Amino acid sequence: MKTDLKQLSKAELTGFMEHSGQPPYRVNQIIKWIYKKTAASFDKMTDLSKDFREELKAIAVISNLSLLQRQVSEDGTQKFLFELKDGETIESVLMPNSKGRERFTLCISSQAGCATGCKFCMTGRLGLKRNLKASEIVDQVITVKRHIETWVHGPEASITNIVFMGMGEPLNNFNEVVRSLRNITGLMGFSKRRITVSTAGIVPGIRKLAYTGPDVNLAVSLNAATDRIRDEIMPVNKKYPLNKLIKACKEFPLSPNRRITFEYVMLGGINDSTADADRLVKLLSGIKSKVNLIPYNPLHKSIEFNPPLENKILRFQKTLRKAGLTVIIRKSKGSDISAACGQLKASYS
Ligand code: SF4
C-alpha cells in the first residue's frame, strides 16, 4: 500500500525519505509543498526532478478531499461538504472574523458522525460512522486554505483560528486528532494558541490532552449546571458527571493568559433561568474561564427545543458578569445554510 504523506510526522517523513535513499533536504522540500503551498499532487512540485516525482508516485500519495458542495451564507459563512475516499461525508465551516477583513476561523470535523448523542445536535442524530484519520483532518485545513488563498480571496487572506467544533467528539478520536494537531502546528506552522479543541466532556481525554497533547486551547460544551439537566440533554454526563468534569477542568494546566472556554447552548425553558446562571457561577468558581452563551438554533422539526427569549439571555449574561465571569453571547453564524452550531449534516440526512 502506498504511504499517505499527510499522515506522517516530520520524524516519520524523514525516515521515509531515508528509506527511499533521498537526501535529508528533500524532507523540507516536501513539507513546504504539502503544507505551505498546498500542492494537491506530486506534479505540482516543480522544483523536484521529474524522476524523483515519478519515484514518489510509485510509493506514496498526497491525500485530497473531494469537495461535493460549498454553500455561502448571507453573513459570509461558508460551509464545505467533503467526500472521503470510502464515500463518507464530513463538513467544515469557514467563518469571517470581522466584516471586510479577510481573516477567517475554520471549524473542522474530527469524526464522520458522532456517538456522543447530544440531544440538541443534528450530528448526534447520525450516530458514529467512523473516526477520521489525521490526514483527513489536516486535509480540511489544507483544502480550505487553498480555497481562500488561491480561488477566492487572494494571497492576503488567511485562516487565523482553527476550532475542533465540527462533526464528532475530538477526544473520542484522540490519537488521530493529536497527530493532526502536531502536523497543523509543527509542519504547517499554525500557532497552538490559535487552535481550540472542544469536548462534550470526555474526562479521560481531557486529562490525556493536558499531559500528553500539544498545548492547545480547551473548550468544554457544558450546557447545564446540574446533573439532572445535563443527563437529559447530554447522555455523556451519565458517564462523566459534572463533579468529575469540573475536577478535570480545575486540574487542566493553563499557561498564563489562557482560559478554558465553556460553551453554553441556551435552550428555552430548560437551562436559561437565573437559578441556572447562579448555579453556573458556583460551578465555575476557581476556574480561569470564559463563557460563550449560544442561543439555541432551531434545527429540524424532529428536535424539540425552543430558542431562549431575548430578555432571558440578557439576564443570564448579567448574572454571570456580576459574578466577575467573562461572558460573550455568540450570535450564530451561517444558520441559513445549516452551518451553525449543532446543525452540521442537518440538510443532507
Ligand atoms: S454536539 Fe458535538 S459531541 Fe455532541 S453530538 Fe454534536 S458533534 Fe457530537
Side-chain angles (χ1 to χ4, degrees):
M1 202 161 71
K2 293 186 185 180
T3 302
D4 179 352
L5 295 189
K6 283 183 198 150
Q7 190 67 18
L8 304 184
S9 65
K10 186 168 184 184
E12 289 162 344
L13 194 56
T14 305
F16 178 81
M17 287 296 159
E18 260 171 33
H19 196 252
S20 324
Q22 295 298 325
Y25 70 85
R26 290 290 193 210
V27 176
N28 287 336
Q29 275 184 311
I30 298 281
I31 288 173
K32 186 184 77 189
W33 276 111
I34 293 179
Y35 293 97
K36 301 273 165 33
K37 299 192 169 188
T38 65
S41 71
F42 293 118
D43 289 327
K44 301 263 181 208
M45 303 181 178
T46 46
D47 62 355
L48 305 184
S49 72
K50 195 154 185 297
D51 285 352
F52 179 43
R53 281 185 265 153
E54 292 306 316
E55 263 176 59
L56 280 174
K57 277 187 216 170
I59 54 173
V61 286
I62 308 274
S63 61
N64 282 298
L65 300 174
S66 44
L67 179 61
L68 291 185
Q69 190 181 41
R70 182 175 71 93
Q71 289 173 277
V72 183
S73 156
E74 286 167 358
D75 63 20
T77 299
Q78 301 177 44
K79 183 170 75 168
F80 298 79
L81 174 69
F82 294 115
E83 185 177 37
L84 308 175
K85 282 276 171 294
D86 59 0
E88 291 298 346
T89 52
I90 54 166
E91 291 178 330
S92 315
V93 178
L94 184 70
M95 295 160 284
N97 286 356
S98 59
K99 241 187 169 168
R101 291 184 56 208
E102 297 187 327
R103 298 283 177 272
F104 299 89
T105 293
L106 178 64
C107 173
I108 56 178
S109 296
S110 55
Q111 297 181 307
C114 184
T116 311
C118 306
K119 295 285 193 295
F120 47 83
C121 171
M122 259 338 272
T123 312
R125 298 248 158 155
L126 297 175
L128 178 67
K129 306 289 179 186
R130 70 167 171 86
N131 282 333
L132 298 191
K133 292 190 292 178
S135 60
E136 292 166 329
I137 299 170
V138 170
D139 263 331
Q140 296 170 62
V141 184
I142 289 182
T143 312
V144 176
K145 181 170 149 61
R146 187 186 301 135
H147 167 79
I148 60 171
E149 291 176 359
T150 345
W151 305 337
V152 183
H153 299 284
E156 296 308 312
S158 64
I159 297 167
T160 56
N161 296 73
I162 295 173
V163 292
F164 282 69
M165 292 184 188
M167 296 167 65
E169 163 54 60
L171 299 184
N172 278 346
N173 183 17
F174 191 89
N175 292 345
E176 294 299 302
V177 164
V178 166
R179 181 173 272 273
S180 73
L181 284 170
R182 296 203 195 285
N183 285 1
I184 291 168
T185 55
L187 305 186
M188 194 178 277
F190 209 91
S191 163
K192 289 175 194 162
R193 303 185 72 85
R194 293 187 166 272
I195 300 179
T196 301
V197 170
S198 176
T199 178
I202 309 296
V203 170
I206 294 174
R207 295 195 183 284
K208 213 166 153 194
L209 186 68
Y211 297 106
T212 65
D215 183 22
V216 293
N217 300 303
L218 176 70
V220 175
S221 179
L222 191 63
N223 310 319
T226 66
D227 281 321
R228 186 186 58 76
I229 300 175
R230 204 162 190 268
D231 279 353
E232 250 175 58
I233 59 176
M234 300 181 75
V236 69
N237 194 66
K238 293 188 181 129
K239 195 162 181 192
Y240 306 115
L242 280 170
N243 62 342
K244 289 193 175 153
L245 174 58
I246 294 299
K247 186 166 187 288
C249 292
K250 285 191 171 151
E251 290 167 3
F252 192 83
L254 290 170
S255 36
N257 304 324
R258 292 244 204 152
R259 289 183 276 187
I260 298 177
T261 301
F262 289 91
E263 311 279 352
Y264 195 99
V265 176
M266 295 189 73
L267 304 165
I270 293 191
N271 62 0
D272 60 346
S273 68
T274 310
D276 289 309
D278 287 334
R279 283 191 283 260
L280 187 58
V281 167
K282 236 178 171 172
L283 203 62
L284 299 186
S285 122
I287 304 179
K288 279 162 68 186
S289 64
K290 139 175 122 183
V291 179
N292 283 343
L293 296 178
I294 307 164
Y296 170 72
N297 279 303
L299 298 167
H300 201 268
K301 46 187 177 312
S302 62
I303 296 188
E304 290 153 6
F305 289 115
N306 295 314
L309 299 172
E310 189 69 23
N311 65 340
K312 285 211 162 186
I313 303 170
L314 296 176
R315 205 180 310 145
F316 201 98
Q317 182 190 37
K318 201 169 158 194
T319 306
L320 299 190
R321 283 216 170 129
K322 231 168 132 185
L325 289 168
T326 304
V327 195
I328 295 163
I329 298 172
R330 281 228 335 247
K331 293 280 173 219
S332 282
K333 290 188 172 174
S335 52
D336 55 323
I337 55 166
S338 297
C341 177
Q343 290 187 325
L344 294 189
K345 292 282 278 187
S347 44
Y348 303 98
S349 37

